[in-house]
Amino acid sequence: QVQLVESGGGSVQPGGSLRLSCVVSGTLLSFNAMAWYRRAPGKQRELVASINLNRITTYADSVKGRFTISRDNAKNTVYLQMNSLQDEDTAVYYCNTVRGIWAWGQGTQVTVSS
């Protein structure tokens, strides 16, 4: 059974940075294209960044140039470096495959506020 454990969230001021981690267990990360998603209060979950097996990345327009997704297959871990955070980035962040096929983890809360 695949398990996803996200961490690294917190409360930061606008302009701050956070680095999220997602540890995958129960399968090999190297076989899967991965993504980070987020759900803001009152909104649906949205995909914000993805990385495929060749480490080609894509980003939602709202985070392009500020967020960087990466993967360490040896550690079975996916990362999301978030810089220049804005109030609109406040959300619970989750990782999953690009198709969201695994059971969702609990996510990690990111709060951006002055």
Side-chain angles (χ1 to χ4, degrees):
Q1 181 177 355
V2 177
Q3 288 189 321
L4 305 169
V5 179
E6 300 94 347
S7 64
S11 296
V12 296
Q13 293 185 337
S17 298
L18 286 171
R19 188 192 194 206
L20 307 184
S21 299
C22 170
V23 178
V24 180
S25 61
T27 189
L28 290 177
L29 184 66
S30 57
F31 293 158
N32 296 278
M34 295 296 295
W36 280 95
Y37 302 78
R38 67 186 180 188
R39 176 148 54 194
K43 296 186 177 181
Q44 291 189 336
R45 183 155 39 208
E46 63 170 340
L47 190 152
V48 296
S50 69
I51 183 167
N52 71 7
L53 302 185
N54 294 318
R55 303 179 188 275
I56 295 173
T57 58
T58 65
Y59 298 92
D61 288 343
S62 59
V63 307
K64 203 170 293 183
R66 301 187 296 120
F67 290 11
T68 302
I69 187 172
S70 61
R71 62 193 297 157
D72 185 335
N73 291 337
K75 295 182 178 180
N76 247 31
T77 301
V78 185
Y79 303 98
L80 186 67
Q81 177 67 44
M82 305 187 297
N83 298 327
S84 302
L85 283 162
Q86 305 169 355
D87 291 353
E88 308 83 77
D89 297 318
T90 294
V92 179
Y93 286 72
Y94 304 86
C95 70
N96 209 312
T97 68
V98 294
R99 297 181 181 179
I101 63 173
W102 295 331
W104 295 91
Q106 292 189 332
T108 186
Q109 175 71 49
V110 172
T111 302
V112 185
S113 174
S114 54

